[in-house]
Amino acid sequence: MAYDLVIIGGGPAGMSAGLYAARGLLKTLIIEKEKEGGQIVTTNELENYPGGLGDSGPSVTKRMKEQCDAFDVEFKRADVVDMDFSQKMKKVILKDGSEIESKAVIIATGATPRKMNIPGEKEFTGKGVSYCATCDAAFMEGLEVFVVGGGNSAVEEATYLAKFARKVTVVVRGDTFDCDKVALMRAKETENLEFLMNTSITEVRGDGLVESIVLKNNETGEETVHEADEDDGTFGVFVFIGYLPQAEVFKGHVELNEWGYIVSDENMHTDVDGVFVAGDVRNKNLRQVITAAADGAIAATEAEKYIDKNFES
């Protein structure tokens, strides 16, 4: 089947692109291998998204999807495993072996949470180790929680977790924060929240559930073991230390930088004509919902210009 535009990824960047493309009367398909919304669906509150005060990530995602549906954007649940961008008509290959042709492609696959890569992390993921406060906060009610990271996500989600947990400790590997002042101020004003600076978690231990962690003082190198409260038996470890771009499948098809992000100019052009990129998967300084949505709008507008120039109507 052939389309004017295929968008790979159904987060804010992909759905924004879909909306703009459909309003430009392009026959548009969004391919998403999981649930629409990307990382936004794990966010409890979007205070820094204009017009979204008090909204949750899932509620904003729902409205984005409804807008796309209203303009007849097609959605397909599938996994893209290969592609051919060498010809004028681009080809996207799905896991089931089927192929989809398109005049232009927008890559909006986003990024996934970065792991600590320490012993026990993988073993206890879903058993005390989490990367989503919205998903797992309720399981921590009355328990102790450690939050790893010093950026906006870590500080904001720690404040949210403090509503459920008995005590929240934010573990920051250095002596400074990488978050905005309002988020930090709110965290510091939260009574059951404290900070542990110049510290890293080097191991997660337990029997079925998280029961202890090894904490390393990054100044002295000293390690200590923190055990779960005897009455609790367990505690939570929430990790917010950035993201990894979901761009591996595009390696060799478009240019990636040394960190694995897709290289683009300010108009979302990749190094391949007719292939554009939007959102957290591209090289950029700020990865937020608002910048992803803006990227998507620009990418779709540029794709429309490319199609009008290179294909007969």
Side-chain angles (χ1 to χ4, degrees):
M1 185 176 292
Y3 290 84
D4 293 322
L5 177 64
V6 165
I7 301 166
I8 306 172
M15 286 195 283
S16 173
L19 177 62
Y20 271 74
R23 285 177 57 82
L25 301 181
L26 299 181
K27 184 180 180 183
T28 303
L29 173 68
I30 294 178
I31 302 173
E32 170 57 55
K33 67 177 180 179
E34 297 175 351
K35 184 170 180 167
E36 293 85 12
Q39 293 300 317
I40 187 179
V41 298
T42 69
T43 302
N44 178 59
E45 288 187 64
L46 288 176
E47 289 190 333
N48 59 357
Y49 186 64
L53 184 63
D55 280 339
S56 68
S59 68
V60 171
T61 295
K62 183 174 181 288
R63 291 203 301 272
M64 288 181 176
K65 175 67 163 56
E66 289 170 350
Q67 279 184 281
C68 287
D69 290 339
F71 287 93
D72 297 323
V73 177
E74 292 185 43
F75 284 80
K76 184 177 182 62
R77 188 67 54 83
D79 193 2
V80 174
V81 296
D82 203 357
M83 62 232 52
D84 183 356
F85 292 157
S86 64
Q87 304 300 315
K88 187 176 180 182
M89 283 294 289
K90 312 305 176 191
K91 190 178 294 183
V92 174
I93 303 166
L94 306 182
K95 191 173 183 178
D96 64 6
S98 61
E99 298 180 354
I100 298 173
E101 289 191 326
S102 180
K103 296 174 183 176
V105 172
I106 295 175
I107 300 168
T109 45
T112 57
R114 186 182 297 274
K115 308 297 191 295
M116 295 183 290
N117 293 320
I118 60 172
E121 179 180 15
K122 183 176 180 180
E123 179 184 355
F124 292 101
T125 294
K127 301 174 183 178
V129 174
S130 174
Y131 308 89
C132 175
T134 307
C135 309
D136 297 326
F139 298 115
M140 296 295 119
E141 189 164 3
L143 298 177
E144 186 177 10
V145 165
F146 286 82
V147 173
V148 181
N152 267 341
S153 293
V155 173
E156 289 172 355
E157 300 300 341
T159 305
Y160 171 68
L161 284 162
K163 299 176 183 179
F164 299 83
R166 182 177 72 251
K167 177 185 177 183
V168 176
T169 302
V170 181
V171 181
V172 185
R173 66 178 179 178
D175 58 4
T176 59
F177 295 92
D178 186 25
C179 64
D180 64 56
K181 293 179 181 178
V182 172
L184 184 57
M185 178 185 69
R186 286 181 177 166
K188 288 183 174 179
E189 290 175 349
T190 303
E191 290 186 3
N192 61 332
L193 190 155
E194 63 182 40
F195 298 94
L196 195 58
M197 308 301 292
N198 294 303
T199 303
S200 299
I201 297 177
T202 59
E203 187 177 354
V204 181
R205 301 171 178 172
D207 183 12
L209 294 172
V210 173
E211 295 176 352
S212 66
I213 53 174
V214 178
L215 295 165
K216 178 182 178 181
N217 184 307
N218 292 328
E219 290 184 311
T220 66
E222 179 184 2
E223 290 190 339
T224 57
V225 177
H226 179 87
E227 302 278 355
D229 182 275
E230 188 174 334
D231 292 333
D232 297 337
T234 188
F235 57 90
V237 178
F238 286 75
V239 183
F240 303 104
I241 54 174
Y243 295 91
L244 294 172
Q246 295 299 286
E248 185 65 28
V249 71
F250 303 106
K251 189 174 182 180
H253 298 282
V254 295
E255 182 184 358
L256 308 183
N257 68 13
E258 58 186 305
W259 297 284
Y261 290 94
I262 295 175
V263 175
S264 73
D265 63 15
E266 62 181 11
N267 289 318
M268 312 302 143
H269 292 245
T270 69
D271 64 326
V272 178
D273 286 342
V275 179
F276 306 85
V277 63
D280 289 1
V281 73
R282 82 177 188 92
N283 60 309
K284 57 194 290 188
N285 292 326
L286 183 64
R287 293 181 172 86
Q288 297 283 304
V289 176
I290 188 170
T291 62
D295 285 357
I298 295 169
T301 302
E302 292 296 304
E304 183 181 358
K305 291 178 183 176
Y306 169 82
I307 291 168
D308 288 344
K309 180 179 178 180
N310 291 278
F311 292 86
E312 294 183 4
S313 57

